[in-house]
Amino acid sequence: MTEQGVGGSGERVTIRHVAKDAGVSVAAVSKVMRNAYGVSDQLRQKVEASIEKLNYRPSFAARGMRGRTYTIGILVIELTNPFLPPVIESVIGHLSDNGYKALVGVGHSVDQIEASMIEAMIDNRMDGVIVIAPRIGGKFLETFAQQIPIVTIAHHEPNATTYDTVNSDDREGARLAVRAMLDRGYRDIAMVGYDSRAAAATEVARQREAGYLDVMKEAGLERQARILRLPPPGEDRSQVLKAILQTRDRPRAMFVWSDLDAIPFLSTCQSLGIRVPEDIAVIGYDNSPPAAIPLVGLSSVDQNPEEMGRVAADLLLSRMTGRRKTQHVLIKPGVVVRKTI
């Protein structure tokens, strides 16, 4: 017996009876019961009316008897960001050492896709989920975390109560980057970010902007502080990068929010005949593998991705084995100085 209820005839009521009465699929009933993302009000009302009519009650004890599957879902925003593979490999390696296998899904920066993939992981009875750099909002993560253990990476949500978070201390990392510039005598320091007006404070870019502004204010340079905006992720940025470098009041030093844009920034400097660091100093964030190539030599903030992955895996393992107290872990970053500053 997996589900039960008391119908008018005394017959055991199952989820299939509810689906038939409501004229929908079993999967649709399951989504309504899980309060899944994207369920319409019309579907919810139809299913809830059938549940009440049939007096259906799921047997949670029977569900618990199904046992573990020893599979973990990893949901990642994309695979093209060179910072992400070391995080994923660290998570998979640590889970493997503890007897778990991992399945990776890509959300493509679309919240509806991310939500549907987490739902699929729940439906496939995975034991837990690690979500890396989600676009989906905290409200939906809270809902999902009531159904399956969740740990997020690169998602700043220190007030979350149902899931754990692991992050580089992005605000402090930005402070370190700007201080490295100040220590070398640069004063006219701007930041290159992106159009984040629709972004939540949970996103790493917003945290890095706050750190940049912190240090500029500490140094008495708040009036000189500038955040130069690139188009949102996914849009062409080449023309904006050129415009930034060709402006008459071009800053003497640039803190670029991520190596994803810092390396194209260096390439644009080269195409325009702008010398780095003689004409403009540049520091990025992520210390991605391309940054360390001698021809590139990009100074950058290292997030310790291997440690982030290990900690996230440990947190998920402990949550799956009964821990309920939420933990929010910040990994200390560090600056790697190369030839661009």
Side-chain angles (χ1 to χ4, degrees):
M1 179 174 65
T2 56
E3 292 90 14
Q4 64 184 14
V6 182
S9 63
E11 179 187 6
R12 182 191 308 144
V13 178
T14 71
I15 193 171
R16 291 175 179 80
H17 290 104
V18 175
K20 183 177 180 180
D21 186 79
V24 300
S25 67
V26 170
V29 176
S30 176
K31 285 188 175 184
V32 171
M33 293 179 63
R34 290 190 284 103
N35 194 28
Y37 179 84
V39 172
S40 68
D41 290 339
Q42 182 180 9
L43 174 60
R44 186 180 304 282
Q45 290 168 7
K46 184 184 295 186
V47 170
E48 288 178 348
S50 293
I51 288 173
E52 183 175 358
K53 172 184 172 183
L54 299 176
N55 195 26
Y56 169 71
R57 296 293 182 270
S59 174
F60 291 100
R63 289 182 183 181
M65 292 171 62
R66 295 175 181 173
R68 297 184 191 175
T69 62
Y70 289 92
T71 56
I72 301 298
I74 300 176
L75 178 60
V76 63
I77 186 173
E78 61 179 352
L79 292 176
T80 56
N81 185 335
F83 165 72
L84 296 175
V87 179
I88 297 169
E89 289 173 8
S90 178
V91 169
I92 290 174
H94 201 65
L95 290 174
S96 178
D97 290 343
N98 286 273
Y100 287 83
K101 58 182 179 292
L103 299 177
V104 180
V106 183
H108 299 291
S109 302
V110 179
D111 54 2
Q112 293 91 341
I113 295 177
E114 290 182 351
S116 66
M117 294 195 76
I118 295 176
E119 289 172 2
M121 291 171 181
I122 294 171
D123 289 342
N124 282 281
R125 297 172 48 217
M126 293 187 180
D127 296 328
V129 177
I130 290 179
V131 187
I132 304 176
R135 285 285 183 264
I136 193 171
K139 178 178 70 173
F140 294 111
L141 285 171
E142 292 274 4
T143 299
F144 289 133
Q146 293 170 11
Q147 305 166 58
I148 189 170
I150 289 179
V151 176
T152 68
I153 299 174
H155 175 83
H156 290 271
E157 192 83 55
N159 296 320
T161 58
T162 59
Y163 61 90
D164 305 311
T165 65
V166 180
N167 291 285
S168 166
D169 189 341
D170 288 289
R171 190 163 184 165
E172 178 59 20
R175 293 188 189 111
L176 294 174
V178 181
R179 287 178 187 139
M181 295 283 204
L182 291 169
D183 289 346
R184 285 156 180 78
Y186 302 112
R187 306 288 288 176
D188 182 13
I189 306 169
M191 178 177 179
V192 176
Y194 62 85
D195 187 349
S196 58
R197 286 172 292 184
T202 56
E203 293 193 16
V204 298
R206 291 280 298 275
Q207 295 290 313
R208 294 171 192 175
E209 289 182 10
Y212 163 75
L213 294 172
D214 287 344
V215 176
M216 293 297 283
K217 184 175 181 180
E218 290 170 7
L221 300 171
E222 61 266 38
R223 292 187 177 181
Q224 293 175 238
R226 288 181 281 171
I227 299 177
L228 308 175
R229 302 286 182 188
L230 299 174
E235 296 185 19
D236 179 51
R237 298 176 171 189
S238 57
Q239 295 305 311
V240 180
L241 287 173
K242 282 186 178 180
I244 288 173
L245 287 167
Q246 291 175 323
T247 186
R248 292 177 60 187
D249 60 346
R250 183 181 70 212
R252 180 63 184 84
M254 291 283 202
F255 164 46
V256 186
W257 80 280
S258 170
D259 291 358
L260 287 173
D261 286 313
I263 292 173
F265 189 89
L266 292 179
S267 178
T268 305
C269 287
Q270 185 178 38
S271 69
L272 296 175
I274 298 171
R275 299 172 301 165
V276 178
E278 291 84 358
D279 300 323
I280 186 169
V282 182
I283 189 167
Y285 204 113
D286 289 336
N287 193 33
S288 57
I293 297 172
L295 189 63
V296 177
L298 173 66
S299 298
S300 190
V301 178
D302 187 88
Q303 300 193 63
N304 198 344
E306 292 81 8
E307 179 71 0
M308 292 173 72
R310 184 195 65 77
V311 171
D314 277 341
L315 287 177
L316 189 65
L317 290 168
S318 67
R319 186 171 277 280
M320 290 188 306
T321 53
R323 176 178 55 82
R324 291 292 176 265
K325 186 176 180 180
T326 302
Q327 295 187 33
H328 301 291
V329 179
L330 290 178
I331 305 297
K332 185 178 179 179
V335 173
V336 178
V337 176
R338 298 189 180 96
K339 64 184 182 181
T340 57
I341 61 173

